[in-house]
């Protein structure tokens, strides 16, 4: 099983980025995909989750209304559209496969990191 995260970068406050998480070795029908982030000196924080099997999306309060998670089953890829970015969104972002939940323990497989930096 493999997860490939991409799409991070440097963006100004108020800007947008779209992260992608491409899955291989399994399909979105059987695993939910979650996004986490970790800022320097802070614990890993759950951001959002997409469950294709139940057609549901979930968001942390800190990103609700600004981030949108979606999935493309044909491409086996989940996207995290991030709008109105703030400096506090700066972190390393990870995608993970498992069951939707806020705890890292809900996820069985993890992808590599992609850095998001929000700065003027």
């Amino acid at each position: 099983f493999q997860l490939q995260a991409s799409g991070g970068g440097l963006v100004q406050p108020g800007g947008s980025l779209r992260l992608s998480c491409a899955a291989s070795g399994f399909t979105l029908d059987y695993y939910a995909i979650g996004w986490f982030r970790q800022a320097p000196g802070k614990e890993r924080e759950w951001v959002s989750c997409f469950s294709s099997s139940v057609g549901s999306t979930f968001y942390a309060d800190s990103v609700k209304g600004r981030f949108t998670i979606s999935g493309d089953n044909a491409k086996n890829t989940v996207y995290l559209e991030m709008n109105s970015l703030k400096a506090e969104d700066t972190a390393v972002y990870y995608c993970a496969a498992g069951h939707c939940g806020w705890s890292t323990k809900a996820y069985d497989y993890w992808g590599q990191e992609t850095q998001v930096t929000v700065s003027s």
Side-chain angles (χ1 to χ4, degrees), residues 44-68:
R44 193 167 296 191
E45 173 192 23
W46 174 75
V47 173
S48 182
C49 188
F50 172 81
S51 174
S52 174
S53 63
V54 297
S56 296
T57 59
F58 304 91
Y59 300 94
D61 288 344
S62 58
V63 306
K64 201 171 293 182
R66 300 188 298 121
F67 291 12
T68 302

Side-chain angles (χ1 to χ4, degrees), residues 9-14 85-87 90 116-120:
L10 173 64
V11 64
Q12 293 186 342
L85 283 163
K86 306 174 183 179
T90 295
V116 172
T117 303
V118 184
S119 176
S120 55

Side-chain angles (χ1 to χ4, degrees), residues 80-91:
L80 185 67
E81 184 77 34
M82 306 187 295
N83 298 316
S84 303
L85 283 163
K86 306 174 183 179
E88 49 263 46
D89 294 317
T90 295

Side-chain angles (χ1 to χ4, degrees), residues 60-79:
D61 288 344
S62 58
V63 306
K64 201 171 293 182
R66 300 188 298 121
F67 291 12
T68 302
I69 193 169
S70 62
D72 184 335
N73 281 25
K75 295 183 178 180
N76 224 30
T77 299
V78 170
Y79 304 98

